[in-house]
Amino acid sequence: MAHLFIFGCFLLLGIASSPAARSGYRGTVCDRSVGYGMPAEVTSDPALRSRANSLVAFWCTGAAILSLAPLVALGSAVLRNGGTSVSTGGLVAFAAYGLVVVTVGAYPFEKIKQFGSPAER
C-alpha cells in the first residue's frame, strides 16, 4: 500500500511541475492569467521577462523529469501487487528525494523574486 501512495505523490509532483514548465516555454510566466505573481520590475522589463521564462522552463522541466524517475521502480513494485514493504530507510530516501524535487521546482520562482532587488542589477 505504501508503494501506491509514494507512486501517487511522485506522479502528482510531475503533473504539478509540467504546467509551469509549459508556461515557461510559451513565454507566459509573467502573464497574470496564468497565476504566477511576478514583481513589477520583471513584468515591465523584456530582458527580465525573457530570463524568467527561461528559468521557469528549465528548472520546472527538470523537476518534472526528476519526479517521474522513481515511478519506474515504484511502478514495478505496484505491479507485483505490493508484495514487498518499504523500509524506514526507503521512506527516508523517498522523502529526501521528494524534497530535492520540490526545491528544484521552486528555485526559479525564488530567483525571480530577487530580480527586482538592487544587488541583482
Side-chain angles (χ1 to χ4, degrees), residues 32 55-56 98 100 102 107 121:
R32 293 264 181 219
L55 274 174
V56 170
V100 168
V102 170
Y107 171 76
R121 292 185 177 216

Side-chain angles (χ1 to χ4, degrees), residues 26-88:
R26 288 186 170 190
T28 59
V29 170
C30 296
D31 188 8
R32 293 264 181 219
S33 64
V34 175
Y36 302 116
M38 297 292 155
E41 295 88 2
V42 176
T43 57
S44 63
D45 186 9
L48 288 178
R49 198 171 340 142
S50 173
R51 177 118 189 251
N53 285 322
S54 64
L55 274 174
V56 170
F58 178 79
W59 288 99
C60 289
T61 299
I65 291 169
L66 286 173
S67 66
L68 297 179
L71 295 182
V72 175
L74 290 168
S76 66
V78 169
L79 290 176
R80 285 183 279 150
N81 294 326
T84 60
S85 63
V86 181
S87 67
T88 304

